[in-house]
Amino acid sequence: DTGVSQDPRHKITKRGQNVTFRCDPISEHNRLYWYRQTLGQGPEFLTYFQNEAQLEKSRLLSDRFSAERPKGSFSTLEIQRTEQGDSAMYLCASSPSTPTYEQYFGPGTRLTVT
Amino acid sequence: GQQVMQIPQYQHVQEGEDFTTYCNSSTTLSNIQWYKQRPGGHPVFLIQLVKSGEVKKQKRLTFQFGEAKKNSSLHITATQTTDVGTYFCAALTNTGNQFYFGTGTSLTVIP
């Protein structure tokens, strides 16, 4: 399967703990996006990478969130000092460098903060 | 900030009826994409529209981009139970790389 993969698929953590999620995009895609989705809402943009460069980050994103894509391949999203409001589905999507910008989404990581 | 409004929020139709969802932006868009998300699944890309007034068709699905590039619609002819899911538009402005997703329209098809 050459689609976008995410790990873990589910994460339960206690408030105040740090969590890290991983995304492996489609190998030839140089664009990578992170989104957060809550029930009944559309995906909310978090950040965008082109290759290893983080080109855009949501202004609504707390400083507790950080993302990396060190070699322009896989990416990690870390949330420090988790809060109950961080509970959501975290989606990763990758996109080719052609003008279509079509995004291929991974299955997501569901985070529950207790 | 940029907002993408999508209506209706929910739509229940009898199988065989038509369905339309609308996406509206307060600013001019660079392009707009449409995605379908099945219950428990992740968004799946359907189409991208770039040109003013553009119309694209995929079998029973018709996508349209407004002349002013501020709105778009998705129309499904003769719905089937396989059309069930939530349809999202995702808008890209001229000034950034951030896609703004609409709130989605949840479609239920009654057999």
Side-chain angles (χ1 to χ4, degrees):
Chain A
D1 187 348
T2 58
V4 178
S5 61
Q6 291 187 243
D7 185 69
R9 296 290 303 276
H10 304 272
K11 179 70 177 179
I12 300 174
T13 191
K14 292 185 177 180
R15 189 178 55 185
Q17 297 294 307
N18 299 342
V19 294
T20 300
F21 308 142
R22 177 180 171 120
C23 170
D24 286 89
I26 294 172
S27 59
E28 61 267 27
H29 289 183
N30 66 348
R31 299 170 183 261
L32 186 146
Y33 304 82
W34 282 100
Y35 293 90
R36 175 172 60 192
Q37 187 175 29
T38 54
L39 195 62
Q41 299 296 315
E44 175 194 357
F45 172 85
L46 296 179
T47 191
Y48 159 69
F49 289 86
Q50 185 159 330
N51 299 312
E52 66 275 9
Q54 187 175 22
L55 296 186
E56 196 153 345
K57 186 175 177 180
S58 171
R59 286 172 291 174
L60 302 176
L61 203 59
S62 161
D63 289 344
R64 297 183 295 106
F65 287 70
S66 63
E68 295 183 339
R69 194 182 183 195
K71 296 183 179 179
S73 56
F74 74 92
S75 176
T76 58
L77 177 69
E78 181 183 16
I79 309 174
Q80 296 182 330
R81 306 180 302 282
T82 52
E83 302 172 356
Q84 286 189 323
D86 296 332
S87 294
M89 177 71 83
Y90 289 83
L91 294 165
C92 174
S94 70
S95 178
S97 57
T98 58
T100 56
Y101 302 126
E102 59 188 89
Q103 299 175 70
Y104 294 81
F105 282 82
T109 295
R110 180 167 297 283
L111 173 67
T112 302
V113 181
T114 61
Chain B
Q2 171 68 26
Q3 281 192 336
V4 178
M5 306 302 296
Q6 199 171 343
I7 56 170
Q9 188 174 1
Y10 302 98
Q11 186 78 60
H12 293 233
V13 299
Q14 291 282 351
E15 190 173 14
E17 291 182 338
D18 293 356
F19 158 78
T20 305
T21 174
Y22 301 90
C23 185
N24 296 291
S25 168
S26 56
T27 59
T28 303
L29 303 173
S30 170
N31 71 46
I32 196 157
Q33 300 177 342
W34 285 93
Y35 291 82
K36 177 182 179 182
Q37 186 171 24
R38 294 182 183 273
H42 56 272
V44 175
F45 176 83
L46 295 176
I47 205 87
Q48 175 170 286
L49 304 170
V50 178
K51 300 176 183 177
S52 168
E54 188 171 16
V55 177
K56 288 188 176 180
K57 294 189 176 183
Q58 287 180 350
K59 298 183 180 178
R60 295 178 295 105
L61 278 61
T62 302
F63 304 85
Q64 187 165 5
F65 203 4
E67 293 289 342
K69 300 185 73 174
K70 288 187 176 182
N71 56 74
S72 180
S73 64
L74 158 58
H75 179 82
I76 303 178
T77 303
T79 54
Q80 300 175 358
T81 54
T82 53
D83 296 325
V84 165
T86 301
Y87 292 85
F88 293 101
C89 61
L92 184 67
T93 67
N94 293 320
T95 56
N97 297 294
Q98 179 173 347
F99 279 91
Y100 297 89
F101 276 76
T103 48
T105 297
S106 175
L107 173 63
T108 300
V109 179
I110 304 165

